[in-house]
Amino acid sequence: MKIKNILNKKLVISAITFTMLFTGISILPTASATTIYVPGDYPTIQAAVNAANPSGGDTIIVAAGTYNEMISINKPLTLRGANWGIHPTVGVHPTETVGIRGPESILSHNNLYAISPSADYITIDGFKFTGTGGRIIDTYSNANYFSLLNCIFDNPGDHGATGNIQFGGGSHTDLLFGYNIFIDGGWHTFYAGGGPFDRMHIIGNKFNGYGEAIFWAATPLVDAIVEYNEFDGTYAGVPGDGGCYMNIGLGGNIKIKDKNISIIDFQNTDD
């Protein structure tokens, strides 16, 4: 009887081990995620990024204040400002309540980028971006599963043909822009190049600008959802002076939801 029980236990353990290996579940220990504070642990955001685990999973929390940095992020991580989780958008929102934001974590830039992502699974949440010039977030590298949440972009100056956010090349599947305000005086708020951008999700944002809210120079957009956004062409206090529309170009299965879109310019789309 004892021998039979031991054999049964061994068979169960062997079956569990086989199942974990077959399904890809790791049975090896993994490093726990770390929370890093700026300026508590490191004086600059870039120093905190450099110190984060290259395998990903760490969270960097940035205190309120002004940071004039050019931040390169080459590993999966979450970067949280003082107002992370509190979105500033105006108008309809399906699930969230507009919160009261406190003092901001401000990323100040002058031309070129404040943040340049070059890895998958990067999340930016709860910052305010100020300054002049375009390409505040700028990359030509692969950066899939990039999420931009609960941020304010206050960039009313004319920065020409560059995008306020410019993903000029590389793969950017499963991109998420959620609950942001974009105040922009340039030609393009979001400039998309390279690709693919499959399964892009733009939800709950307010675009307030002079030029196109979205300009497409990338591979055809597939399986995208644009919902619960507000596109406002008021510029320098003059309603309708700005364009603030979507120029998506060629695409397929692009779903546009909600009534707060002023102009849409796209071709060959389904649904």
Side-chain angles (χ1 to χ4, degrees):
M1 183 66 69
K2 288 183 179 179
I3 294 175
K4 184 177 180 181
N5 288 339
I6 291 170
L7 289 174
N8 286 339
K9 289 179 181 178
K10 286 185 176 180
L11 287 172
V12 170
I13 293 170
S14 297
I16 292 171
T17 303
F18 174 80
T19 301
M20 295 177 78
L21 291 173
F22 182 77
T23 57
I25 299 174
S26 175
I27 58 175
L28 299 175
T30 56
S32 59
T34 300
T35 300
I36 303 171
Y37 295 89
V38 176
D41 295 323
Y42 293 92
T44 66
I45 299 171
Q46 186 64 66
V49 170
N50 295 344
N53 186 345
S55 298
D58 287 354
T59 297
I60 298 172
I61 298 180
V62 181
T66 300
Y67 302 83
N68 191 347
E69 298 187 46
M70 297 175 67
I71 305 159
S72 296
I73 304 177
N74 61 355
K75 61 191 70 173
L77 57 76
T78 296
L79 193 62
R80 289 178 173 173
N83 286 299
W84 70 273
I86 304 175
H87 74 82
T89 53
V90 177
V92 178
H93 192 283
T95 60
E96 303 292 335
T97 301
V98 176
I100 299 175
R101 292 171 75 97
E104 299 281 354
S105 302
I106 299 171
L107 297 181
S108 179
H109 70 99
N110 288 296
N111 297 315
L112 293 180
Y113 64 87
I115 293 177
S116 180
S118 58
D120 297 343
Y121 295 101
I122 294 172
T123 296
I124 311 298
D125 188 347
F127 288 87
K128 183 175 183 178
F129 296 82
T130 65
T132 58
R135 296 163 66 173
I136 301 171
I137 297 180
D138 184 32
T139 186
Y140 284 79
S141 301
N142 294 337
N144 302 296
Y145 296 93
F146 178 86
S147 297
L148 180 69
L149 307 170
N150 306 304
C151 290
I152 298 172
F153 287 74
D154 188 1
N155 192 31
D158 182 1
H159 51 81
T162 62
N164 204 345
I165 299 172
Q166 183 156 317
F167 284 20
S171 174
H172 305 289
T173 62
D174 301 278
L175 176 75
L176 171 62
F177 288 170
Y179 324 127
N180 306 286
I181 288 181
F182 301 100
I183 301 170
D184 182 24
W187 295 10
H188 317 300
T189 296
F190 174 47
Y191 177 100
F197 284 81
D198 296 357
R199 298 175 300 279
M200 180 182 77
H201 193 183
I202 309 293
I203 179 172
N205 305 279
K206 180 173 182 177
F207 294 87
N208 181 198
Y210 178 75
E212 295 162 321
I214 300 174
F215 176 79
W216 211 257
T219 57
L221 179 61
V222 178
D223 295 332
I225 299 176
V226 181
E227 59 182 339
Y228 300 104
N229 299 283
E230 182 178 350
F231 295 80
D232 183 355
T234 300
Y235 183 70
V238 181
D241 190 41
C244 202
Y245 59 91
M246 296 188 298
N247 180 0
I248 296 177
L250 299 175
N253 194 29
I254 301 172
K255 294 180 172 60
I256 310 292
K257 302 179 181 180
D258 138 303
K259 62 184 179 181
N260 294 325
I261 299 173
S262 56
I263 304 173
I264 307 172
D265 181 9
F266 58 94
Q267 307 170 28
N268 295 351
T269 61
D270 303 325
D271 192 272

